[in-house]
Amino acid sequence: MDTTKLNLAAYMSGSISRIMAKAYKNVLSNPREAKFAFRMQQLFAKSEKRRKKVKEQEDIDIPPFLISSISTTCNLHCKGCYARSNGIAEDSEASRKVSITPEQWKQIFTEAADMGINFSLLAGGEPMMRKDILEAVAEVKDMIFPIFTNGTLIGPSYIEFLKKHLNMIPVISIEGMEHATDERRGKGMYKRAMQSVEMLHEEDLFFGTSITVTTENFDLVTSDDFVDNLRNRGCKLIIYVEYVPTESGTEYLAFDEADMAMMEAVQAHQRERYQDMIIISFPGDEQHLGGCLAAGRGFFHIGPDGSAEPCPFSPFSDSNVVELGLRGALQSPLFRKIRAARALGWEHTGGCTLFEHREEIETMIN
C-alpha cells in the first residue's frame, strides 16, 4: 500500500475542506455568498468520495484541482513573466496560437466536475481577454474558477458578470505596493488594480490577490501592515506564488530552504492572526508532501491548445485533453514518469522542482 499517496490525498482533501469552511464563515454577512459557499462545501464532501471511487474502480489518482491557461494574449509586459517566456502569451489576437474553443473548455471542466475536481485556476495570458471562454465555463456550476488577472479589464460589465456567477472569483495580481507593482507590471498598474479592488469591494464580492513573492519583497508582502491594508480593502484571499526564475540572472530572487522555512513560519502567524482570510502559498508545503505536486499528483496544467503539461513552469506535453480526456491525460507516459521521479532522486529542495529538472523532463519526452 502506498501510504505517501494516501497521506497526500488526505492532506489535499482536508485542505480544500478547511478552505471552504473558512470561506463559508467569512461570507456569513452576505446571504448570496453564504448560500453559494454552503452549497460548495457540501459538494466538495461528495467530490472527495467521487475521487476515491475513481481510484478504487479505475486505479487513477484524481487531483483535487487544475491550472488552466485559457488565453494566449495579454495586455501587459510584466518582467519575468513565465507565460511569455514559455511561449503561451502574445500581444494580440492576430498572433494567437492554436487554442481550443469555449465549448471544448466547458466540456473539459464538466468532465473534471464529474470526476470530483472542483477547482481550476484560470490563467493566461490575461484570462479576462477571453470573456467568451469565461462565460462558457461559468455554466459549470460544480466548479470554482479563481481567475488570475492583472485587474485592468474589470469594469461595470465584468462586475455584473461576477455578480451573476459566484463561482468565478477574481484574484488580482500585484507585487507589493505601488513602486514594486509598477516596476514589474508598468506605470500606473497598481492604481488600476486598486480601482478594480474598490469596485469589487463596493459590490461585496468575494475576491483575492495573488502576489509573486521573492527574496527582495518578502518582508514587505508578508508584513502585518501589508495584509491589514488588503483586508481593509475587502480582500478575503491571498495567494503567495513563490518566484520561479524563468529569466537568466534572476535566480537570486528564488527561495532557498531557509527562505521556505521562514515563509512557513510567517504563514503560521498569518493564519492565526487573520482568521477571517484565506492565506495560502504555492508551491508552499510541497517539501512536506514528498515532493512536487504537479503531473496529476496534486494538479496539472492545461495549455491553451489543450496540451496536458505537468505545471505552468514545465511546458512539456505528450498528450492533449481534447483528444484523450482528463483520464487519458492523467495516464500519459510523461506524467507517469514524473510521478515516479522521486525514485530518480528528485528531492524537493525549495522552488520549483520541475523547473530545476527541465532538461531531464525534455529527455523523457524524446
Side-chain angles (χ1 to χ4, degrees):
M1 182 179 294
D2 190 339
T3 56
T4 300
K5 285 185 178 180
L6 290 177
N7 290 339
L8 172 66
Y11 178 90
M12 298 293 283
S13 296
S15 295
I16 288 177
S17 297
R18 287 191 296 273
I19 287 172
M20 283 313 300
K22 180 171 281 191
Y24 178 58
K25 178 181 178 181
N26 292 348
V27 298
L28 284 176
S29 61
N30 183 332
R32 178 184 58 187
E33 295 273 8
K35 181 179 179 181
F36 168 74
F38 180 68
R39 188 183 79 82
M40 296 307 295
Q41 191 177 14
Q42 292 181 311
L43 175 66
F44 290 164
K46 296 178 181 178
S47 294
E48 183 180 354
K49 295 178 181 178
R50 197 172 300 166
R51 292 195 298 271
K52 289 180 179 178
K53 185 176 181 181
V54 174
K55 172 62 177 175
E56 292 169 357
Q57 295 183 348
E58 304 177 44
D59 195 27
I60 302 174
D61 291 294
I62 306 299
F65 71 96
L66 303 170
I67 302 175
S68 308
S69 292
I70 65 172
S71 173
T72 59
T73 56
C74 188
N75 57 339
L76 298 184
H77 281 261
C78 302
K79 293 180 181 179
C81 175
Y82 77 85
R84 286 191 182 275
S85 65
N86 289 342
I88 294 176
E90 301 288 350
D91 288 338
S92 66
E93 297 290 327
S95 58
R96 180 189 292 174
K97 298 175 177 62
V98 176
S99 57
I100 59 181
T101 67
E103 188 58 34
Q104 286 172 320
W105 278 115
K106 183 178 179 180
Q107 291 173 355
I108 290 168
F109 294 135
T110 298
E111 180 188 2
D114 289 342
M115 293 167 63
I117 303 172
N118 298 121
F119 280 92
S120 181
L121 283 62
L122 302 183
E126 169 50 53
M128 285 195 168
M129 294 186 77
R130 293 303 308 269
K131 193 174 183 181
D132 55 337
I133 293 176
L134 295 180
E135 288 175 336
V137 305
E139 298 300 327
V140 184
K141 297 300 184 183
D142 286 351
M143 288 195 71
I144 290 179
F145 299 98
I147 308 169
F148 278 61
T149 174
N150 57 43
T152 61
L153 301 179
I154 294 178
S157 176
Y158 258 119
I159 291 295
E160 290 304 311
F161 171 76
L162 295 169
K163 287 167 63 177
K164 181 180 179 182
H165 300 288
L166 298 181
N167 59 332
M168 312 299 284
I169 299 176
V171 180
I172 298 176
S173 298
I174 56 176
E175 312 304 323
M177 300 303 288
E178 185 170 6
H179 174 75
T181 300
D182 287 5
E183 172 66 21
R184 187 181 184 205
R185 297 180 173 272
K187 186 174 177 58
M189 290 302 101
Y190 178 80
K191 288 183 177 178
R192 181 62 187 88
M194 291 302 104
Q195 288 174 0
S196 296
V197 164
E198 289 174 8
M199 284 187 280
L200 294 166
H201 191 194
E202 287 176 1
E203 295 295 337
D204 204 16
L205 286 164
F206 192 97
F207 72 92
T209 53
S210 167
I211 302 159
T212 302
V213 59
T214 70
T215 54
E216 285 190 340
N217 72 355
F218 176 86
D219 289 339
L220 170 65
V221 301
T222 60
S223 69
D224 289 349
D225 287 345
F226 182 80
V227 178
D228 285 341
N229 177 54
L230 290 176
R231 181 172 64 173
N232 293 338
R233 292 175 180 269
C235 178
K236 291 287 195 295
L237 166 69
I238 296 178
I239 300 177
Y240 290 110
V241 181
E242 296 160 16
Y243 180 74
V244 175
T246 56
E247 288 187 359
S248 178
T250 64
E251 291 81 5
Y252 71 96
L253 294 172
F255 282 5
D256 59 19
E257 289 189 46
D259 296 318
M260 292 194 69
M262 191 181 302
M263 184 70 181
E264 186 176 339
V266 167
Q267 292 262 281
H269 160 74
Q270 289 178 334
R271 288 164 183 160
E272 178 65 27
R273 176 181 171 90
Y274 301 102
Q275 296 190 20
D276 58 341
M277 299 180 72
I278 298 170
I279 302 177
I280 57 180
S281 63
F282 178 82
D285 294 323
E286 285 188 352
Q287 62 178 335
H288 301 300
L289 297 172
C292 180
L293 298 178
R297 190 166 177 266
F299 70 92
F300 71 90
H301 176 243
I302 303 175
D305 61 350
S307 57
E309 302 170 353
C311 90
F313 301 119
S314 184
F316 302 102
S317 179
D318 64 352
S319 61
N320 190 290
V321 295
V322 176
E323 299 168 359
L324 299 177
L326 292 176
R327 281 176 170 79
L330 284 167
Q331 299 176 86
S332 77
L334 176 62
F335 279 16
R336 287 180 178 273
K337 290 176 182 177
I338 291 174
R339 289 196 293 267
R342 287 189 70 209
L344 304 177
W346 289 12
E347 296 301 327
H348 188 84
T349 58
C352 176
T353 304
L354 294 188
F355 186 79
E356 294 172 0
H357 293 275
R358 53 196 178 279
E359 293 180 0
E360 291 97 320
I361 295 173
E362 192 166 7
T363 300
M364 286 180 180
I365 296 178
N366 295 333

